[in-house]
Amino acid sequence: MIVSERQTDQGLLVTACDPDVLGETFEDGDVSITVSDEFYGGESRDEDAVVEALSRATVANLVGRDVVELAIEAGYVDEANVLEVDTTLHAQFLRL
């Protein structure tokens, strides 16, 4: 999985995606998600490292079936709040 971490004024922003969706655009009706290298590009990490990054995140943006399912399994995302966009999954969370 590809992960990036950025410190912002609002806290730590973590983006993560499956490698096969990086650079792709997914559309479903009015919803369009472009998984750009500028936003989602980062380092390749294993599942444990992804979960560790999510544990520190204030905000997370996730795209791809594997990374979203991992976030669900780890308890960071509720499956009911996941969007299916075209052939992929998208989820976000905000820790208050």
Side-chain angles (χ1 to χ4, degrees):
M1 293 168 200
I2 299 176
V3 178
S4 72
E5 299 181 38
R6 297 174 189 88
Q7 195 61 45
T8 71
D9 292 340
Q10 291 76 32
L12 181 64
L13 167 64
V14 172
T15 61
C17 68
D18 295 353
D20 63 323
V21 302
L22 189 63
E24 299 292 327
T25 296
F26 300 92
E27 296 180 341
D28 189 6
D30 293 337
V31 177
S32 177
I33 298 172
T34 299
V35 190
S36 68
D37 189 56
E38 294 80 20
F39 189 69
Y40 287 95
E43 299 176 4
S44 181
R45 297 196 189 163
D46 66 17
E47 290 183 355
D48 290 337
V50 173
V51 170
E52 196 276 324
L54 294 177
S55 75
R56 295 180 287 105
T58 306
V59 178
N61 286 279
L62 313 168
V63 180
R65 291 193 176 276
D66 293 339
V67 74
V68 170
E69 289 173 2
L70 177 63
I72 292 168
E73 290 172 16
Y76 292 104
V77 172
D78 185 331
E79 188 172 5
N81 296 321
V82 173
L83 295 177
E84 187 164 357
V85 182
D86 196 2
T87 61
T88 197
L89 299 178
H90 172 63
Q92 297 177 312
F93 78 78
L94 170 65
R95 184 169 303 162
L96 300 175

